[in-house]
Amino acid sequence: DADVTQTPRNRITKTGKRIMLECSQTKGHDRMYWYRQDPGLGLRLIYYSFDVKDINKGEISDGYSVSRQAQAKFSLSLESAIPNQTALYFCATSGARILNEQFFGPGTRLTVL
Amino acid sequence: AQKVTQAQTEISVVEKEDVTLDCVYETRDTTYYLFWYKQPPSGELVFLIRRNSFDEQNEISGRYSWNFQKSTSSFNFTITASQVVDSAVYFCALSEALSNTDKLIFGTGTRLQVFP
Protein backbone atom coordinates (compact mmCIF):
# COMPACT_ATOMS: atom_id res chain seq x y z
CA ASP A 1 0.00 0.00 0.00
CA ALA A 2 1.14 3.51 -0.76
CA ASP A 3 2.55 5.52 2.13
CA VAL A 4 0.88 8.76 1.05
CA THR A 5 -2.56 8.59 -0.53
CA GLN A 6 -4.74 11.28 -2.02
CA THR A 7 -8.44 11.24 -2.78
CA PRO A 8 -9.91 11.84 -5.22
CA ARG A 9 -7.34 11.25 -7.94
CA ASN A 10 -9.32 13.19 -10.48
CA ARG A 11 -12.13 15.69 -10.03
CA ILE A 12 -14.07 17.93 -12.36
CA THR A 13 -16.18 20.61 -10.75
CA LYS A 14 -17.89 23.87 -11.56
CA THR A 15 -17.04 27.42 -10.63
CA GLY A 16 -18.30 28.33 -7.18
CA LYS A 17 -18.44 24.81 -5.79
CA ARG A 18 -16.71 23.83 -2.57
CA ILE A 19 -14.16 21.09 -3.03
CA MET A 20 -12.14 19.10 -0.53
CA LEU A 21 -9.01 17.16 -1.38
CA GLU A 22 -7.86 14.64 1.17
CA CYS A 23 -4.45 13.31 2.04
CA SER A 24 -3.57 10.43 4.34
CA GLN A 25 -0.19 9.02 5.26
CA THR A 26 1.04 5.93 7.04
CA LYS A 27 4.63 7.06 7.43
CA GLY A 28 4.12 8.47 10.91
CA HIS A 29 5.47 11.83 9.80
CA ASP A 30 4.60 15.00 11.64
CA ARG A 31 4.99 17.39 8.73
CA MET A 32 2.56 17.59 5.85
CA TYR A 33 2.36 19.89 2.84
CA TRP A 34 0.08 20.82 -0.01
CA TYR A 35 1.54 21.93 -3.34
CA ARG A 36 -0.01 22.77 -6.66
CA GLN A 37 1.60 22.20 -10.01
CA ASP A 38 0.81 24.28 -13.06
CA PRO A 39 2.27 23.63 -16.51
CA GLY A 40 5.62 25.32 -16.85
CA LEU A 41 5.65 26.58 -13.26
CA GLY A 42 6.87 23.66 -11.21
CA LEU A 43 5.33 23.05 -7.79
CA ARG A 44 4.36 25.83 -5.41
CA LEU A 45 3.56 25.52 -1.73
CA ILE A 46 -0.02 26.26 -0.64
CA TYR A 47 -0.07 25.30 3.05
CA TYR A 48 1.98 23.24 5.45
CA SER A 49 1.52 21.79 8.91
CA PHE A 50 4.13 20.66 11.43
CA ASP A 51 1.66 18.99 13.76
CA VAL A 52 -2.07 18.81 14.43
CA LYS A 53 -2.19 22.24 16.05
CA ASP A 54 0.12 23.96 13.61
CA ILE A 55 -1.03 25.36 10.25
CA ASN A 56 1.01 27.73 8.11
CA LYS A 57 0.42 29.52 4.84
CA GLY A 58 2.68 28.92 1.91
CA GLU A 59 3.31 31.21 -1.00
CA ILE A 60 -0.08 30.80 -2.72
CA SER A 61 -2.65 30.23 0.03
CA ASP A 62 -5.32 32.66 -1.18
CA GLY A 63 -8.52 30.84 -2.07
CA TYR A 64 -7.56 27.74 -0.10
CA SER A 65 -7.96 26.48 3.44
CA VAL A 66 -6.69 23.36 5.19
CA SER A 67 -7.53 21.13 8.09
CA ARG A 68 -5.19 18.80 9.97
CA GLN A 69 -7.66 16.35 11.44
CA ALA A 70 -5.03 14.02 12.81
CA GLN A 71 -1.32 13.39 12.45
CA ALA A 72 -2.05 11.22 9.45
CA LYS A 73 -4.63 13.40 7.68
CA PHE A 74 -4.34 16.78 6.01
CA SER A 75 -7.18 18.13 3.87
CA LEU A 76 -7.17 20.99 1.39
CA SER A 77 -10.37 22.88 0.66
CA LEU A 78 -11.31 25.25 -2.10
CA GLU A 79 -14.18 27.22 -0.62
CA SER A 80 -15.43 28.54 -3.93
CA ALA A 81 -13.55 27.01 -6.83
CA ILE A 82 -12.52 29.16 -9.77
CA PRO A 83 -11.09 28.10 -13.15
CA ASN A 84 -7.56 29.26 -12.43
CA GLN A 85 -7.42 26.72 -9.62
CA THR A 86 -7.37 24.02 -12.26
CA ALA A 87 -4.09 22.24 -11.52
CA LEU A 88 -2.42 19.10 -10.27
CA TYR A 89 -2.33 19.05 -6.47
CA PHE A 90 0.23 17.13 -4.46
CA CYS A 91 0.32 16.27 -0.81
CA ALA A 92 3.70 15.54 0.77
CA THR A 93 5.05 14.49 4.15
CA SER A 94 8.40 14.73 5.86
CA GLY A 95 9.61 13.32 9.14
CA ALA A 96 12.63 15.24 10.30
CA ARG A 97 13.86 18.80 10.53
CA ILE A 98 17.17 17.91 8.98
CA LEU A 99 17.66 15.91 5.82
CA ASN A 100 14.08 16.70 5.00
CA GLU A 101 13.22 14.46 2.14
CA GLN A 102 9.59 14.89 1.27
CA PHE A 103 7.45 11.97 0.24
CA PHE A 104 4.77 12.83 -2.28
CA GLY A 105 1.33 11.42 -2.85
CA PRO A 106 0.20 10.46 -6.35
CA GLY A 107 -1.48 13.79 -7.02
CA THR A 108 -5.05 14.96 -7.59
CA ARG A 109 -5.93 16.40 -10.95
CA LEU A 110 -8.56 19.09 -10.43
CA THR A 111 -10.45 20.79 -13.24
CA VAL A 112 -12.70 23.74 -12.52
CA LEU A 113 -15.08 24.57 -15.34
CA ALA B 1 16.20 35.18 -2.28
CA GLN B 2 15.99 31.51 -2.98
CA LYS B 3 15.45 30.34 -6.52
CA VAL B 4 15.96 27.33 -8.72
CA THR B 5 16.45 27.73 -12.45
CA GLN B 6 16.11 24.99 -15.01
CA ALA B 7 16.79 26.81 -18.22
CA GLN B 8 16.12 23.84 -20.47
CA THR B 9 12.38 23.62 -20.98
CA GLU B 10 12.48 20.57 -23.20
CA ILE B 11 15.16 18.22 -24.47
CA SER B 12 14.79 15.52 -27.10
CA VAL B 13 17.33 12.78 -27.62
CA VAL B 14 17.53 9.45 -29.35
CA GLU B 15 17.87 6.34 -27.27
CA LYS B 16 21.40 5.56 -26.05
CA GLU B 17 22.48 9.18 -26.17
CA ASP B 18 23.79 10.80 -23.02
CA VAL B 19 21.89 13.82 -21.78
CA THR B 20 22.57 16.42 -19.08
CA LEU B 21 19.85 18.38 -17.32
CA ASP B 22 21.01 21.66 -15.86
CA CYS B 23 20.03 23.13 -12.51
CA VAL B 24 21.24 26.43 -11.08
CA TYR B 25 20.18 27.58 -7.65
CA GLU B 26 20.31 30.72 -5.54
CA THR B 27 20.36 30.80 -1.76
CA ARG B 28 21.83 32.86 1.04
CA ASP B 29 21.92 29.94 3.44
CA THR B 30 25.17 28.10 3.94
CA THR B 31 23.32 24.91 4.77
CA TYR B 32 20.84 23.66 2.24
CA TYR B 33 19.71 20.57 0.39
CA LEU B 34 19.28 19.93 -3.28
CA PHE B 35 16.97 17.37 -4.81
CA TRP B 36 16.03 15.86 -8.12
CA TYR B 37 12.58 14.41 -8.78
CA LYS B 38 11.27 12.60 -11.81
CA GLN B 39 7.67 12.98 -12.98
CA PRO B 40 6.76 10.33 -15.55
CA PRO B 41 3.68 10.72 -17.76
CA SER B 42 1.57 9.04 -15.09
CA GLY B 43 2.07 12.16 -12.97
CA GLU B 44 3.56 10.97 -9.69
CA LEU B 45 6.78 12.46 -8.33
CA VAL B 46 9.64 10.05 -7.90
CA PHE B 47 12.51 11.02 -5.61
CA LEU B 48 15.91 10.54 -7.24
CA ILE B 49 18.53 12.12 -5.02
CA ARG B 50 19.21 14.47 -2.12
CA ARG B 51 22.51 16.26 -1.64
CA ASN B 52 23.47 18.54 1.24
CA SER B 53 25.55 21.64 0.76
CA PHE B 54 28.57 20.26 2.57
CA ASP B 55 28.93 17.26 0.34
CA GLU B 56 30.25 18.16 -3.07
CA GLN B 57 31.17 14.64 -3.97
CA ASN B 58 29.62 13.60 -7.24
CA GLU B 59 27.34 10.62 -7.16
CA ILE B 60 26.63 7.86 -9.60
CA SER B 61 23.70 5.50 -9.45
CA GLY B 62 23.53 3.18 -12.41
CA ARG B 63 22.98 5.29 -15.50
CA TYR B 64 22.36 8.40 -13.40
CA SER B 65 25.01 10.76 -12.15
CA TRP B 66 24.96 14.11 -10.44
CA ASN B 67 27.55 16.88 -10.53
CA PHE B 68 27.31 19.34 -7.63
CA GLN B 69 29.47 22.46 -7.91
CA LYS B 70 29.07 25.10 -5.23
CA SER B 71 31.39 27.47 -7.09
CA THR B 72 28.84 27.77 -9.88
CA SER B 73 25.74 27.02 -7.76
CA SER B 74 24.87 24.15 -10.02
CA PHE B 75 23.56 20.65 -9.48
CA ASN B 76 23.41 19.01 -12.88
CA PHE B 77 21.98 15.61 -13.65
CA THR B 78 23.30 13.32 -16.38
CA ILE B 79 21.61 10.25 -17.79
CA THR B 80 24.00 7.96 -19.62
CA ALA B 81 22.75 5.78 -22.46
CA SER B 82 19.24 7.15 -22.22
CA GLN B 83 16.24 4.89 -22.61
CA VAL B 84 12.66 5.52 -23.65
CA VAL B 85 11.58 4.91 -20.05
CA ASP B 86 13.60 7.96 -19.03
CA SER B 87 11.06 10.17 -20.79
CA ALA B 88 9.62 12.37 -18.08
CA VAL B 89 9.68 15.83 -16.58
CA TYR B 90 12.59 16.28 -14.20
CA PHE B 91 12.50 18.78 -11.36
CA CYS B 92 15.37 20.19 -9.39
CA ALA B 93 14.49 21.54 -5.94
CA LEU B 94 16.12 23.40 -3.05
CA SER B 95 15.43 23.32 0.68
CA GLU B 96 17.08 25.78 3.03
CA ALA B 97 17.95 24.42 6.45
CA LEU B 98 17.63 27.75 8.22
CA SER B 99 14.21 28.66 6.86
CA ASN B 100 11.17 28.37 9.08
CA THR B 101 9.79 25.67 6.88
CA ASP B 102 11.16 22.62 5.19
CA LYS B 103 9.47 23.65 1.99
CA LEU B 104 10.92 22.68 -1.32
CA ILE B 105 11.55 25.38 -3.88
CA PHE B 106 11.13 23.83 -7.28
CA GLY B 107 12.49 24.74 -10.65
CA THR B 108 10.08 24.82 -13.54
CA GLY B 109 11.17 21.42 -14.76
CA THR B 110 12.80 20.01 -17.88
CA ARG B 111 10.79 17.72 -20.12
CA LEU B 112 12.97 14.96 -21.51
CA GLN B 113 11.79 12.99 -24.49
CA VAL B 114 13.77 9.94 -25.48
CA PHE B 115 12.92 8.56 -28.89
CA PRO B 116 13.60 4.97 -29.92
Side-chain angles (χ1 to χ4, degrees):
Chain A
D1 288 341
D3 294 321
V4 184
T5 58
Q6 293 182 231
T7 56
R9 294 293 312 278
N10 290 281
R11 181 70 183 268
I12 300 174
T13 191
K14 294 182 179 180
T15 297
K17 294 292 186 180
R18 185 178 187 274
I19 296 296
M20 178 181 287
L21 309 183
E22 299 187 350
C23 176
S24 295
Q25 52 111 348
T26 58
K27 299 188 74 67
H29 287 167
D30 290 326
R31 299 173 177 232
M32 299 187 73
Y33 311 79
W34 276 104
Y35 292 86
R36 68 176 274 177
Q37 180 184 4
D38 298 280
L41 292 181
L43 280 74
R44 293 178 292 167
L45 183 65
I46 306 172
Y47 270 96
Y48 60 100
S49 169
F50 287 172
D51 64 43
V52 174
K53 297 180 181 179
D54 178 81
I55 300 291
N56 303 280
K57 292 182 177 181
E59 59 181 306
I60 54 165
S61 59
D62 287 348
Y64 301 95
S65 61
V66 291
S67 173
R68 185 80 183 267
Q69 303 95 321
Q71 185 202 38
K73 297 183 181 297
F74 191 37
S75 300
L76 175 72
S77 293
L78 287 66
E79 298 301 326
S80 180
I82 56 177
N84 76 2
Q85 291 177 312
T86 294
L88 184 56
Y89 290 84
F90 285 100
C91 174
T93 74
S94 68
R97 182 67 181 85
I98 305 299
L99 299 181
N100 50 332
E101 176 184 341
Q102 292 192 8
F103 296 83
F104 285 84
T108 295
R109 191 169 297 279
L110 176 66
T111 302
V112 183
L113 301 176
Chain B
Q2 63 273 37
K3 185 179 179 181
V4 175
T5 300
Q6 294 181 256
Q8 302 152 308
T9 304
E10 187 164 341
I11 300 174
S12 296
V13 298
V14 177
E15 212 169 17
K16 298 184 182 178
E17 287 185 22
D18 299 345
V19 58
T20 296
L21 310 181
D22 297 334
C23 174
V24 175
Y25 62 92
E26 297 176 29
T27 179
R28 293 178 180 173
D29 279 355
T30 56
T31 304
Y32 52 89
Y33 303 91
L34 296 164
F35 302 79
W36 276 95
Y37 286 87
K38 174 182 180 180
Q39 186 177 43
S42 52
E44 74 272 21
L45 285 167
V46 179
F47 168 80
L48 295 178
I49 189 171
R50 175 186 62 242
R51 172 67 72 219
N52 74 60
S53 53
F54 298 107
D55 182 3
E56 289 193 69
Q57 188 173 11
N58 292 332
E59 182 158 338
I60 298 174
S61 176
R63 296 184 297 106
Y64 295 171
S65 62
W66 290 270
N67 181 10
F68 177 30
Q69 292 193 336
K70 289 180 74 171
S71 61
T72 56
S73 297
S74 65
F75 186 43
N76 296 337
F77 172 33
T78 297
I79 302 174
T80 302
S82 60
Q83 301 176 1
V84 173
V85 294
D86 296 326
S87 297
V89 179
Y90 290 86
F91 290 99
C92 180
L94 164 72
S95 178
E96 297 172 319
L98 296 180
S99 70
N100 292 328
T101 77
D102 293 332
K103 72 175 184 177
L104 291 172
I105 301 151
F106 284 84
T108 52
T110 297
R111 181 178 300 277
L112 174 65
Q113 294 194 60
V114 182
F115 294 99

